[in-house]
Amino acid sequence: MASWKEVELGSMSKVQETLSSHSCGSCLVDKTETVHINPDVESPYTHQPLWFKMREYCRDATSEFFGTMILILFGDGVVAQVLLSHGQKGDYQSISWGWGLGVMLGVYASDASGGHINPAVTFACCVFRGFPWRKFPVYALSQTLGAMAGSAIVYGNYKSAINAYEGGPDIRTVPGYSTTATAGIFCCYPAEFMTRTGQFFSEFIASTVLMFMIFALKDEGNLGAGPLMPLALFFVVFGIGACFGWETGYAINPARDFGPRLTSYMIGYGHEVWAAGNYFFWVPMVAPILGCTFGGWIYDLFLYTGMDSPIHTPCVGIKRLLGPFHQRRVALQSPV
Amino acid sequence: MASWKEVELGSMSKVQETLSSHSCGSCLVDKTETVHINPDVESPYTHQPLWFKMREYCRDATSEFFGTMILILFGDGVVAQVLLSHGQKGDYQSISWGWGLGVMLGVYASDASGGHINPAVTFACCVFRGFPWRKFPVYALSQTLGAMAGSAIVYGNYKSAINAYEGGPDIRTVPGYSTTATAGIFCCYPAEFMTRTGQFFSEFIASTVLMFMIFALKDEGNLGAGPLMPLALFFVVFGIGACFGWETGYAINPARDFGPRLTSYMIGYGHEVWAAGNYFFWVPMVAPILGCTFGGWIYDLFLYTGMDSPIHTPCVGIKRLLGPFHQRRVALQSPV
Amino acid sequence: MASWKEVELGSMSKVQETLSSHSCGSCLVDKTETVHINPDVESPYTHQPLWFKMREYCRDATSEFFGTMILILFGDGVVAQVLLSHGQKGDYQSISWGWGLGVMLGVYASDASGGHINPAVTFACCVFRGFPWRKFPVYALSQTLGAMAGSAIVYGNYKSAINAYEGGPDIRTVPGYSTTATAGIFCCYPAEFMTRTGQFFSEFIASTVLMFMIFALKDEGNLGAGPLMPLALFFVVFGIGACFGWETGYAINPARDFGPRLTSYMIGYGHEVWAAGNYFFWVPMVAPILGCTFGGWIYDLFLYTGMDSPIHTPCVGIKRLLGPFHQRRVALQSPV
Amino acid sequence: MASWKEVELGSMSKVQETLSSHSCGSCLVDKTETVHINPDVESPYTHQPLWFKMREYCRDATSEFFGTMILILFGDGVVAQVLLSHGQKGDYQSISWGWGLGVMLGVYASDASGGHINPAVTFACCVFRGFPWRKFPVYALSQTLGAMAGSAIVYGNYKSAINAYEGGPDIRTVPGYSTTATAGIFCCYPAEFMTRTGQFFSEFIASTVLMFMIFALKDEGNLGAGPLMPLALFFVVFGIGACFGWETGYAINPARDFGPRLTSYMIGYGHEVWAAGNYFFWVPMVAPILGCTFGGWIYDLFLYTGMDSPIHTPCVGIKRLLGPFHQRRVALQSPV
């Protein structure tokens, strides 16, 4: 969330240039001569461009992977601690803290890729901020894999405690099918009284608020959070947890829900992870994407004054939406 | 609360100018030629000034509307979650957090209009900071409508849970008339032991503290919160909730109380929403305005050193108060 | 705590100059001609220097008064709310929040006088930072009066609730003499198991930590909190409350304890406010001053690198301490 | 954690220079003549270089000592308050707050030495950021002594309360050997259901997350926390406490655990402080160092773009690791 336009990674690419072209002579010498204090000691830095090249190529992916992993480590970790300790080592407010912290620290860790750590946010950025559509699959996949990795680590950390809570190392149950269910550590299961409409609406409105606030906080034409962005995101996510978190567990993030759900299925929680809540699992995949798109649209329609939004195209973006993609991209980029 | 003087919205008005005068030729070309990268692609941005004109015209109103809506979404949302989950998903401290967050994020969202999100704050700004009186009705109305919209969304989100809590979809009750009342989600009902004087004093003193602190935090001649303003407001509102929030629910905001109260009446909570607490409903409409005015007066009288306060006019502003309005406006604007 | 050296209040004194010398002619005209947009409308600002002169003269006093009043409004307010609601509207953590917030917001409000709001802090600044000794009585008196005013307002706000809690409007009791005592709202009463030595040590060590951290946070040669100072103070006071607050209630501030204690005596809580805890009342007056002085001395002795500390005089300040006061002042001011 | 490279302490060393060379005449006069307002009063500041020399020589040690002491004062203090008051004066979330605050304020206090206050962090800085290895023993020793001092002060403060809790002044027991054990105030004892592998893994993963986040927050090539660093560390440590703190008490710091454990052994808690949890005591000494090193390695391998990491040497640092130390130091320092 820190930089929506693609960061050019200026300093890094210069390093890359230096490393990969160290044999090409004169113009480079001017730069490196001042760097080498002892020119007779050959610098070891000029011999290993391979890992750097690979890393640079995958930077978006690794950055989103680790950002989402941090998010899930803190988020799933706090749910595990509160649940498995029977509320002795934290309460519902701790859970709000944990998820808020997870987002905050995940964004700090993943600024190189923009700190989305949420496919729904990436989607809304593609729609409203000209973020390249070709990057969407990479981002979504990295985020999901990061969430899976994070939840697997949480499972490893709390395995003994889960055994003690469930009653044995072979017992893994899902909320609604058992009173000692622990699957809620990993992903969201809705409260029992919720209808399907209510489930969907709850996820939708929470995601709308999330995206509306992200765009507001990023908008330099509004007040804008500036360097306080991660802290402000902490407050947004804490607030969504405290105010809209009860009914469906506020996934508001397809990767956050689907990744750990898949992990828990692989661990052995059984088919119930998909069937629970009348096949609730697809709601936190679809509703956040629709909600974030709607929230971004509301913000751009009424409050955004920047020129990079499709709202500034005819019919406040609807004509653009129905037109072909490539035309839209050209138009968006023209008045840079 | 971010900028009390009217923001000129420089960049936006330039955009407007560009859009509305795209037929007038030469002088504009100089600006746009550098903008269009591909001059043969006609920019779609020059064809749609209507929505932008409307939006610009209503900017103050939309900004206050959404700011207050955010405030109520978080504030009423957290009360709903704590109440309807029987304290399982939050406690009183969560409620303090929710309202503090609501104000913080509402101010972030509504900086274009100054981030008042409270008619009493707007009123005090008119009295003490030369904010134009003609804007007061627009602000107050937008804030009230935003509060109504926010509370309606909260109602939609928690409808199933309210049904479960009240005992049925047709039952909607008010505190003091039922043990499963849910009207307290939307607006304030006083504690039972409170006298009318106590109710009024409690709202008055909380509003006084609020306005005193807002003026202190905005005062560059004092320490001033600067870019931490929304965070500092979070602490102020959290503190008022934790320290003065019990007895009357700390409305400290006429729109925050009246708007949702009207919504709850429209939903079907019945005449009791007005009658409860011996017709308490007018107290959170009147006391915050008087309290904020008093708090602002105390701050200006003793601590404020800026030149834009009526305290700097004869008899520390009392003579001005009794004189005609237009004369006051002239005097205030003269020594800019 | 924001500016230990006396603020010159440049802009204010210019205003004063303008106001008080408006009859002396030529040199002033140069300044004001550019100010008056309509020169034919006589500015009303030039006719009222009296209040401004008085206010300017008492600025330190009013600033400390209101800062300490804000501190007590939030601090005593949160204790009242938690106690009188039988823990329904807050818990011990809320109390930590309330006092932390009170200090934070009090410092924001009283920057004009340096934001001490604590006689022990003023004392340590006199000893270690060359703060003028002649100001100490004014500061201490203003802080105590501010604390009395704040606690009186809290009493007024919670009078009905105190009546309900104590059992009647004429009953006012002190901890240790009754099970429904409410005197703990206003000032500190120690836990029953504490010895006199333990009481003193607890207050002493908490004050030492407070002053050590204040000097660390103000020290630009260290990391320094800079504009985050009030926020950092929130964390310091919250931390002292959470970590050292149980045994004696962490007065760590003579004005915070003595002022409200006097108010509660005047209200009618009886002689027991002084006698409780084996005449505990003098401990929070003496221990914070000694503790703050010790904490400041430790910080200056080991970590402070600024030149304005008496540690930089012979025998790390001990010789200076034993010498006459006026000599010390000269020496401190010489190497400005 | 504020400045990994050694601070030159510019202003201090100038002072030193002035003080130590006050007899050498002319060039100094130019500087001090402007300083002395009354040149006939001989400045007392020129006569005491000894304490300053000693202090300057030990600056790293004193800075880490006090930083770690502050950490333990808040951290052990909050555990003592919550435990000894039977949860009346705080809950598990308070403990998370206390440790987070301790780290935040400890870092503010010890910036002169870089604010490590954790031998595992110092170790990782030696490995990955070219921090001089010769300083490691000094840092580790100072940190451990600071932790011992802090826990001794906490013991003194809560001695009466410990007597009341344990049942007498001679009874001091360790968790697992008694139901009124208080040794948990000072250091970590694992939950009973934990295997040795689980203990180790839990400490390891928490330390990994800690170091990963510290490097992320310090990385200017990433978003970076900048002046918010102490606040961000508060959130990191709060989060680790809330999410990974249950099973082993999240030592994540050899000094934080070993120092107070030694203190509690000296106080008289007996051999059980070492034997408890099947001689758990070595886990929080070894696991944090390995975990922090691993976390730093992960961050540097995938995300760090700065040039001062051994990842930028052949074989991503593994060859360097196996090579001699002095060669590594030369290489690291060459391209400054």
Side-chain angles (χ1 to χ4, degrees):
Chain A
M1 292 138 187
S3 59
W4 304 111
K5 51 181 178 176
E6 290 180 65
V7 178
E8 282 300 318
L9 286 165
S11 59
M12 187 55 212
S13 49
K14 276 177 208 154
V15 169
Q16 286 295 90
E17 208 177 87
T18 313
L19 291 172
S20 57
S21 63
H22 73 284
S23 60
C24 76
S26 60
C27 67
L28 191 68
V29 170
D30 295 352
K31 290 176 197 158
T32 53
E33 268 189 343
T34 60
V35 168
H36 286 124
I37 294 171
N38 306 324
D40 49 340
V41 177
E42 194 184 8
S43 167
Y45 294 9
T46 51
H47 292 298
Q48 184 153 336
L50 183 59
W51 171 249
F52 279 19
K53 274 183 187 165
M54 286 167 55
R55 192 172 79 159
E56 183 59 27
Y57 189 75
C58 306
R59 179 160 297 274
D60 282 348
T62 49
S63 176
E64 288 294 320
F65 178 87
F66 281 108
T68 318
M69 195 177 87
I70 291 286
L71 164 64
I72 298 296
L73 279 174
F74 283 97
D76 279 5
V78 73
V79 180
Q81 179 160 322
V82 172
L83 180 72
L84 300 175
S85 70
H86 299 276
Q88 293 292 306
K89 300 292 178 182
D91 52 16
Y92 185 81
Q93 208 181 34
S94 308
I95 293 175
S96 295
W97 272 90
W99 284 104
L101 280 165
V103 170
M104 178 191 182
L105 299 177
V107 168
Y108 267 126
S110 65
D111 183 58
S113 59
H116 296 188
I117 64 175
N118 185 344
V121 171
T122 306
F123 189 88
C125 289
C126 291
V127 173
F128 294 110
R129 293 289 181 273
F131 195 79
W133 279 104
R134 66 176 158 78
K135 290 196 171 188
F136 180 70
V138 176
Y139 270 58
L141 186 64
S142 309
Q143 289 154 354
T144 308
L145 290 175
M148 292 178 71
S151 57
I153 293 170
V154 168
Y155 179 73
N157 192 42
Y158 284 105
K159 199 173 176 187
S160 317
I162 290 173
N163 290 347
Y165 189 91
E166 290 260 22
D170 300 330
I171 310 173
R172 295 289 181 270
T173 53
V174 171
Y177 299 84
S178 149
T179 55
T180 58
T182 56
I185 293 169
F186 301 102
C187 52
C188 300
Y189 295 93
E192 305 233 339
F193 59 81
M194 294 296 288
T195 63
R196 172 54 44 94
T197 310
Q199 291 167 359
F200 196 90
F201 185 74
S202 182
E203 283 292 326
F204 183 85
I205 194 70
S207 306
T208 303
V209 170
L210 173 71
M211 203 66 216
F212 185 91
M213 284 314 306
I214 289 175
F215 274 0
L217 293 167
K218 289 298 300 176
D219 185 358
E220 297 301 314
N222 209 323
L223 186 54
L228 295 173
M229 187 68 192
L231 187 62
L233 283 171
F234 162 77
F235 282 98
V236 172
V237 176
F238 184 101
I240 291 174
C243 308
F244 301 101
W246 172 31
E247 297 183 323
T248 59
Y250 69 118
I252 60 174
N253 184 338
R256 171 261 175 280
D257 194 79
F258 178 72
R261 197 181 294 271
L262 197 57
T263 302
S264 65
Y265 181 68
M266 289 157 68
I267 287 166
Y269 279 87
H271 180 66
E272 290 88 349
V273 302
W274 311 105
N278 189 21
Y279 290 89
F280 171 73
F281 80 94
W282 65 265
V283 173
M285 297 174 72
V286 176
I289 287 181
L290 295 180
C292 282
T293 308
F294 182 69
W297 185 71
I298 290 284
Y299 187 79
D300 278 16
L301 192 62
F302 289 105
L303 296 175
Y304 191 59
T305 57
M307 292 301 293
D308 53 343
S309 168
I311 296 297
H312 293 120
T313 58
C315 301
V316 294
I318 293 164
K319 191 180 282 184
R320 179 63 38 91
L321 190 65
L322 306 174
F325 268 20
H326 78 278
Q327 177 188 335
R328 170 156 171 268
R329 292 270 300 288
V330 170
L332 266 173
Q333 288 164 358
S334 61
V336 167
Chain B
M1 291 139 186
S3 60
W4 304 110
K5 50 180 177 176
E6 291 179 66
V7 178
E8 282 301 315
L9 286 163
S11 59
M12 187 56 212
S13 49
K14 275 179 211 153
V15 169
Q16 287 294 88
E17 208 177 86
T18 313
L19 293 172
S20 57
S21 63
H22 73 284
S23 61
C24 76
S26 60
C27 67
L28 192 69
V29 170
D30 296 352
K31 291 176 194 160
T32 53
E33 270 192 341
T34 59
V35 168
H36 286 124
I37 294 171
N38 306 325
D40 50 339
V41 177
E42 193 185 8
S43 168
Y45 293 9
T46 51
H47 291 299
Q48 182 152 339
L50 183 62
W51 171 250
F52 279 18
K53 275 185 188 164
M54 285 167 54
R55 192 172 79 158
E56 183 59 26
Y57 189 77
C58 306
R59 179 159 296 275
D60 282 348
T62 49
S63 175
E64 289 295 318
F65 177 87
F66 282 107
T68 318
M69 196 178 85
I70 290 287
L71 164 64
I72 297 296
L73 279 174
F74 283 98
D76 279 4
V78 74
V79 180
Q81 179 160 322
V82 171
L83 179 73
L84 300 175
S85 70
H86 299 276
Q88 293 292 304
K89 300 292 178 182
D91 52 16
Y92 185 82
Q93 209 181 32
S94 308
I95 294 176
S96 296
W97 272 90
W99 284 104
L101 280 165
V103 169
M104 179 191 180
L105 300 176
V107 168
Y108 267 127
S110 64
D111 183 59
S113 59
H116 296 187
I117 64 176
N118 184 344
V121 171
T122 306
F123 189 88
C125 289
C126 290
V127 173
F128 294 110
R129 291 291 180 272
F131 194 79
W133 280 103
R134 67 179 157 77
K135 290 197 170 187
F136 179 71
V138 176
Y139 270 59
L141 185 64
S142 309
Q143 289 154 355
T144 307
L145 290 174
M148 291 179 72
S151 56
I153 294 170
V154 168
Y155 180 73
N157 192 42
Y158 284 106
K159 200 174 174 185
S160 316
I162 290 173
N163 290 347
Y165 189 91
E166 290 260 21
D170 300 330
I171 310 173
R172 294 290 182 269
T173 53
V174 171
Y177 299 83
S178 149
T179 56
T180 58
T182 56
I185 292 170
F186 301 100
C187 51
C188 300
Y189 295 94
E192 304 234 339
F193 59 80
M194 295 294 289
T195 63
R196 172 54 43 95
T197 310
Q199 292 167 358
F200 196 90
F201 185 74
S202 182
E203 282 293 324
F204 182 86
I205 195 69
S207 306
T208 303
V209 170
L210 173 70
M211 203 67 218
F212 185 92
M213 284 314 304
I214 288 175
F215 274 0
L217 293 167
K218 289 297 300 176
D219 185 359
E220 297 300 315
N222 208 324
L223 187 54
L228 295 172
M229 187 68 193
L231 187 62
L233 282 172
F234 162 76
F235 282 97
V236 171
V237 176
F238 184 101
I240 291 175
C243 309
F244 301 101
W246 173 31
E247 296 183 323
T248 59
Y250 69 119
I252 61 173
N253 184 337
R256 170 259 174 282
D257 193 79
F258 178 72
R261 196 181 295 272
L262 196 57
T263 301
S264 65
Y265 181 67
M266 290 156 68
I267 287 167
Y269 278 87
H271 179 67
E272 289 88 349
V273 302
W274 310 105
N278 189 22
Y279 290 89
F280 171 73
F281 80 95
W282 66 266
V283 173
M285 296 174 71
V286 175
I289 288 182
L290 295 180
C292 282
T293 308
F294 183 68
W297 185 71
I298 290 284
Y299 186 78
D300 277 17
L301 192 63
F302 288 106
L303 296 175
Y304 191 58
T305 58
M307 290 302 292
D308 53 343
S309 169
I311 297 295
H312 292 121
T313 57
C315 300
V316 295
I318 293 166
K319 192 179 281 184
R320 178 66 35 92
L321 190 66
L322 306 175
F325 268 20
H326 77 276
Q327 178 188 334
R328 172 158 169 265
R329 293 269 301 288
V330 170
L332 267 173
Q333 288 164 358
S334 60
V336 167
Chain C
M1 293 136 185
S3 60
W4 304 112
K5 53 181 173 175
E6 291 179 64
V7 178
E8 281 299 314
L9 287 163
S11 59
M12 186 57 211
S13 50
K14 275 177 210 154
V15 169
Q16 285 296 88
E17 206 176 272
T18 313
L19 292 171
S20 58
S21 61
H22 73 284
S23 61
C24 75
S26 60
C27 66
L28 191 69
V29 170
D30 295 354
K31 290 174 196 159
T32 53
E33 268 189 344
T34 59
V35 169
H36 287 124
I37 295 170
N38 305 324
D40 49 338
V41 177
E42 194 185 6
S43 168
Y45 293 10
T46 51
H47 291 298
Q48 183 151 338
L50 183 62
W51 171 251
F52 278 20
K53 274 184 186 166
M54 285 168 54
R55 193 172 79 160
E56 182 60 26
Y57 189 76
C58 306
R59 179 159 296 275
D60 282 348
T62 49
S63 175
E64 289 293 320
F65 177 88
F66 282 108
T68 318
M69 197 177 85
I70 290 287
L71 164 65
I72 297 295
L73 279 174
F74 283 97
D76 280 5
V78 74
V79 180
Q81 179 160 321
V82 172
L83 180 72
L84 300 175
S85 70
H86 300 276
Q88 293 291 306
K89 299 293 176 181
D91 52 16
Y92 185 81
Q93 211 181 32
S94 308
I95 294 176
S96 295
W97 272 90
W99 285 104
L101 281 165
V103 169
M104 178 191 182
L105 300 177
V107 168
Y108 267 126
S110 65
D111 184 58
S113 57
H116 296 189
I117 64 175
N118 185 343
V121 171
T122 306
F123 190 88
C125 289
C126 289
V127 173
F128 294 111
R129 291 293 180 272
F131 194 79
W133 280 104
R134 68 180 156 78
K135 289 196 171 188
F136 179 70
V138 177
Y139 271 59
L141 186 64
S142 308
Q143 289 154 353
T144 307
L145 290 174
M148 291 179 71
S151 57
I153 294 170
V154 169
Y155 179 72
N157 192 42
Y158 284 106
K159 200 174 175 186
S160 315
I162 290 174
N163 290 347
Y165 189 90
E166 290 260 22
D170 299 329
I171 309 172
R172 293 291 181 269
T173 53
V174 171
Y177 299 84
S178 150
T179 55
T180 59
T182 56
I185 292 169
F186 301 101
C187 51
C188 301
Y189 295 93
E192 303 233 341
F193 59 79
M194 295 295 288
T195 62
R196 172 55 43 93
T197 310
Q199 292 167 358
F200 197 91
F201 185 74
S202 182
E203 282 292 325
F204 182 85
I205 195 70
S207 306
T208 303
V209 170
L210 173 70
M211 203 67 218
F212 185 91
M213 284 314 304
I214 288 175
F215 275 180
L217 294 167
K218 289 297 301 176
D219 186 359
E220 297 300 313
N222 209 324
L223 186 52
L228 295 173
M229 186 70 193
L231 188 61
L233 282 172
F234 163 76
F235 282 99
V236 171
V237 176
F238 185 101
I240 291 175
C243 309
F244 301 102
W246 173 32
E247 297 183 321
T248 60
Y250 69 118
I252 60 173
N253 184 337
R256 170 262 176 280
D257 194 78
F258 178 71
R261 196 180 295 272
L262 197 57
T263 302
S264 66
Y265 181 67
M266 289 156 69
I267 287 167
Y269 278 88
H271 180 67
E272 289 88 350
V273 302
W274 310 106
N278 190 22
Y279 291 89
F280 170 73
F281 80 94
W282 65 265
V283 172
M285 298 174 70
V286 175
I289 288 183
L290 295 180
C292 282
T293 308
F294 183 68
W297 185 71
I298 290 285
Y299 187 78
D300 277 17
L301 192 63
F302 288 106
L303 296 175
Y304 190 58
T305 58
M307 290 302 293
D308 53 342
S309 169
I311 297 296
H312 291 122
T313 57
C315 299
V316 294
I318 293 166
K319 192 180 279 184
R320 178 63 37 89
L321 189 66
L322 306 175
F325 269 18
H326 77 276
Q327 179 188 334
R328 173 157 169 265
R329 295 265 300 288
V330 171
L332 268 172
Q333 286 164 359
S334 60
V336 168
Chain D
M1 293 138 184
S3 59
W4 304 111
K5 53 183 176 173
E6 292 179 63
V7 178
E8 281 299 317
L9 286 164
S11 59
M12 187 57 211
S13 49
K14 275 177 210 154
V15 169
Q16 285 296 87
E17 206 176 271
T18 313
L19 292 172
S20 58
S21 63
H22 73 284
S23 61
C24 75
S26 60
C27 67
L28 191 68
V29 170
D30 296 353
K31 290 174 196 160
T32 52
E33 265 188 344
T34 60
V35 168
H36 286 124
I37 294 172
N38 306 324
D40 49 339
V41 177
E42 195 184 6
S43 167
Y45 293 10
T46 51
H47 292 298
Q48 184 152 336
L50 183 60
W51 171 250
F52 279 19
K53 274 184 186 165
M54 285 168 54
R55 193 172 79 158
E56 183 59 28
Y57 189 76
C58 306
R59 179 159 298 274
D60 282 349
T62 50
S63 175
E64 288 294 319
F65 177 87
F66 282 107
T68 318
M69 196 177 85
I70 290 286
L71 164 65
I72 297 296
L73 279 175
F74 283 98
D76 280 5
V78 74
V79 180
Q81 179 160 323
V82 172
L83 180 72
L84 300 175
S85 70
H86 300 276
Q88 293 292 307
K89 300 291 178 181
D91 53 15
Y92 185 80
Q93 210 181 31
S94 308
I95 293 175
S96 295
W97 272 90
W99 285 104
L101 280 166
V103 170
M104 178 191 182
L105 299 177
V107 168
Y108 267 126
S110 65
D111 183 57
S113 58
H116 296 188
I117 64 173
N118 185 343
V121 171
T122 306
F123 190 88
C125 289
C126 289
V127 174
F128 294 110
R129 291 291 180 273
F131 194 79
W133 280 104
R134 67 179 157 79
K135 289 196 172 190
F136 179 70
V138 177
Y139 270 59
L141 186 63
S142 308
Q143 289 154 353
T144 307
L145 290 174
M148 292 179 71
S151 58
I153 293 170
V154 169
Y155 179 72
N157 192 41
Y158 283 104
K159 200 174 175 186
S160 315
I162 290 174
N163 290 347
Y165 189 91
E166 290 261 22
D170 300 330
I171 310 172
R172 294 290 181 271
T173 54
V174 171
Y177 299 85
S178 150
T179 55
T180 58
T182 56
I185 292 170
F186 300 102
C187 51
C188 300
Y189 295 93
E192 304 233 341
F193 59 80
M194 294 295 288
T195 63
R196 172 55 43 94
T197 310
Q199 291 167 359
F200 196 91
F201 185 74
S202 181
E203 283 292 325
F204 182 85
I205 194 69
S207 307
T208 303
V209 170
L210 174 70
M211 203 67 218
F212 185 91
M213 284 314 305
I214 288 175
F215 275 0
L217 293 167
K218 290 297 301 176
D219 185 358
E220 298 300 314
N222 209 323
L223 186 54
L228 295 173
M229 186 68 192
L231 187 62
L233 283 171
F234 163 76
F235 283 98
V236 172
V237 175
F238 185 102
I240 291 175
C243 309
F244 301 101
W246 172 33
E247 296 183 325
T248 60
Y250 70 118
I252 60 173
N253 183 338
R256 170 262 175 281
D257 194 79
F258 178 72
R261 197 180 294 271
L262 196 57
T263 301
S264 66
Y265 181 66
M266 288 157 69
I267 286 166
Y269 278 87
H271 180 67
E272 288 87 351
V273 301
W274 311 106
N278 189 20
Y279 290 89
F280 170 72
F281 80 94
W282 66 265
V283 172
M285 297 175 70
V286 175
I289 287 181
L290 296 180
C292 282
T293 308
F294 183 68
W297 185 71
I298 291 285
Y299 187 78
D300 278 17
L301 193 63
F302 289 105
L303 295 175
Y304 191 59
T305 57
M307 291 301 293
D308 53 341
S309 169
I311 297 297
H312 293 121
T313 58
C315 301
V316 294
I318 293 164
K319 191 181 280 184
R320 177 63 37 92
L321 190 65
L322 306 175
F325 269 18
H326 78 276
Q327 177 189 333
R328 172 158 168 267
R329 293 267 301 288
V330 170
L332 266 173
Q333 287 163 359
S334 60
V336 168

